[in-house]
Amino acid sequence: MCGHDHQTTVVAVSDSSFASLTTLRVGGAPRALIRCTSAEELAATVARLDAEGTPLLVVGGGSNLVVADGQLDLTAVLARNEGIEPVEELVDATILRIGAGTVWDDVVAFAVERDLGGIEALSGIPGSAGATPVQNVGAYGAEISEVLTRVRLWNRETNTDEWVPAESLELAYRYSNLKFTHRAVVLELELRLEKAELSRPLRHLGGQRLPLAEARAEILATRRAKGMVLDAADHDTWSAGSFFTNPVVDTAVADTIEAQVGEAGMPRFAQPDGREKLSAAWLIERAGFPRGYPGEGAPARLSTKHTLALTNRGSAAAADIVELAREVRGGVEKRFGVRLVPEPVWVGVEV
Ligand SMILES: Cc1cc2nc3c(=O)[nH]c(=O)nc-3n(C[C@H](O)[C@H](O)[C@H](O)COP(=O)(O)OP(=O)(O)OC[C@H]3O[C@@H](n4cnc5c(N)ncnc54)[C@H](O)[C@@H]3O)c2cc1C
């Protein structure tokens, strides 16, 4: 059981702040930090804090979090239950069960090494496996929803430990009904991965399929070039990844923007509901925010490799990130009438 009274699992708060728990490296101190190394500890800790009425935040890799500066009235519960286990062999697929605290990219490496396909395009996404359903992580045309079969949740509303089917999470583009609601904690998850030698068609390579290990290497290289693989030495990766989701608009709005910019080839992707998804990065650039904005010396800047990432150049506080986010969002709205929606989870601050 992990709790305040268990010395090995409670870390002194003076050692830790959200600046050291998040990839954006901003944010103040939680009241306490509790590290849970099994699914049962994670569930029991959340249950106990909820019963006490103690505000809490479950933290995985901290790669999709923007947390306010200063003292925070919450306890950080670190999901650190690790493990990857094949639990069922089917004719054409293997079911893997994964602890929420497992590093996500270790799961991808494990699968690729065993010729299990379906997640190779999600190589290099930072953070924990348990957070992947939270915003239905995706990249290069793939999403976790395609392989996620079921999730073991600690349901904070009913105080129950239950396996639920993936469909019950209402997974959609960078969304599930877990995101922003904190209604449940992911304890474990199961993925159905195909026995395959070739990757799924890779969208950015015109639908080409590569041997799994090559596909993984290719994705990692592509992501690195954009600052989308964590590297402590590269401030372009001190971020929360893509800072805004790609907006989905009516065709008439897309036509107006394309005509307004007067450039051929605006990225626009038809959606099942008849609307179109635009590229937030493209809109940001066309609204007058180039890579590296506002320039050398600023504590918070757009990545010098990708306009969609807001980055900490080493001395930024949450307030600097928020200010830059407001400026970029305001600029895009003023120019195109489109209000960008931040992708990360915000704690104690808002754009
Ligand atoms: C450089 C970089 C590149 C990125 N690229 C991508 C990308 O290509 N595609 C993409 O989709 N995302 C991307 N992201 C965003 C991020 O990596 C993912 O959202 C990731 O899944 C977050 O995992 P985490 O463990 O770090 O979550 P955290 O940041 O720790 O938490 C995020 C949210 O999930 C909740 N949460 C965490 N663990 C659990 C749990 N076990 N149960 C319930 N709730 C939980 C937290 O409370 C919080 O609300 C990128 C981020 C960075 C920094």
Side-chain angles (χ1 to χ4, degrees):
M1 168 87 188
C2 119
H4 288 292
D5 50 353
H6 193 306
Q7 279 202 319
T8 55
T9 52
V10 182
V11 178
V13 171
S14 56
D15 299 338
S16 270
S17 67
F18 279 97
S20 58
L21 292 173
T22 62
T23 56
L24 202 45
R25 303 190 193 209
V26 301
R31 294 236 178 262
L33 185 61
I34 305 177
R35 196 169 178 276
C36 299
T37 55
S38 74
E40 292 67 32
E41 285 180 353
L42 186 53
T45 300
V46 170
R48 182 175 56 75
L49 293 173
D50 280 345
E52 289 169 7
T54 303
L56 67 93
L57 179 70
V58 177
V59 180
S63 62
N64 213 29
L65 277 175
V66 185
V67 183
D69 302 312
Q71 179 64 56
L72 292 139
D73 183 23
L74 58 83
T75 293
V77 178
L78 268 82
R80 292 292 179 267
N81 54 317
E82 293 180 28
I84 310 173
E85 189 194 348
V87 286
E88 202 180 336
E89 286 300 334
L90 307 169
V91 178
D92 56 348
T94 298
I95 309 284
L96 291 187
R97 184 173 299 168
I98 301 150
T102 311
V103 171
W104 169 251
D105 196 53
D106 290 351
V107 180
V108 182
F110 180 99
V112 166
E113 274 163 27
R114 286 160 183 79
D115 284 338
L116 295 175
I119 52 175
E120 57 284 349
L122 306 180
S123 291
I125 297 181
S128 63
T132 58
V134 174
Q135 71 153 357
N136 184 21
V137 299
Y140 302 99
E143 283 184 345
I144 191 74
S145 59
E146 293 158 19
V147 293
L148 184 72
T149 54
R150 57 178 199 149
V151 177
R152 180 178 166 197
L153 295 181
W154 173 253
N155 184 326
R156 298 175 65 189
E157 287 158 357
T158 56
N159 276 329
T160 45
D161 182 334
E162 58 197 14
W163 279 98
V164 301
E167 298 76 57
S168 69
L169 302 179
E170 301 174 289
L171 299 163
Y173 168 61
R174 291 307 97 76
Y175 174 80
S176 80
N177 57 25
L178 299 174
K179 193 169 178 184
F180 306 123
T181 64
H182 305 282
R183 69 173 182 87
V185 182
V186 177
L187 303 175
E188 293 184 288
L189 55 145
E190 286 185 358
L191 306 181
R192 182 188 193 284
L193 300 180
E194 301 148 18
K195 295 177 180 167
E197 280 169 18
L198 292 183
S199 68
R200 293 213 174 160
L202 298 168
R203 193 173 68 190
H204 69 298
L205 297 181
Q208 208 183 327
R209 300 179 67 187
L210 297 176
L212 287 180
E214 271 179 48
R216 172 166 162 78
E218 205 285 330
I219 293 278
L220 286 172
T222 304
R223 291 183 65 97
R224 255 186 216 110
K226 293 183 181 168
M228 287 293 174
V229 177
L230 293 182
D231 174 356
D234 181 358
H235 284 290
D236 279 335
T237 74
W238 291 32
S239 79
S242 300
F243 207 83
F244 297 102
T245 52
N246 289 322
V248 177
V249 300
D250 290 335
T251 295
V253 173
D255 289 343
T256 308
I257 294 173
E258 192 157 27
Q260 199 183 343
V261 175
E263 240 179 69
M266 175 175 86
R268 47 196 291 184
F269 307 98
Q271 298 301 292
D273 65 0
R275 295 188 301 158
E276 295 187 44
K277 192 191 275 175
L278 305 183
S279 155
W282 191 92
L283 294 173
I284 290 168
E285 275 180 55
R286 300 313 181 278
F289 302 101
R291 292 177 194 180
Y293 180 86
E296 287 290 340
R301 297 171 66 187
L302 298 185
S303 157
T304 68
K305 302 185 181 77
H306 197 325
T307 44
L308 201 47
L310 270 65
T311 63
N312 173 359
R313 309 317 289 188
S315 64
D320 299 309
I321 301 291
V322 172
E323 195 183 309
L324 181 59
R326 284 197 183 128
E327 190 186 349
V328 168
R329 187 170 75 165
V332 170
E333 189 165 16
K334 194 163 165 219
R335 176 89 209 272
F336 300 119
V338 173
R339 175 162 263 230
L340 295 179
V341 177
E343 187 197 283
V345 171
W346 294 72
V347 179
V349 268
E350 278 178 16
V351 178

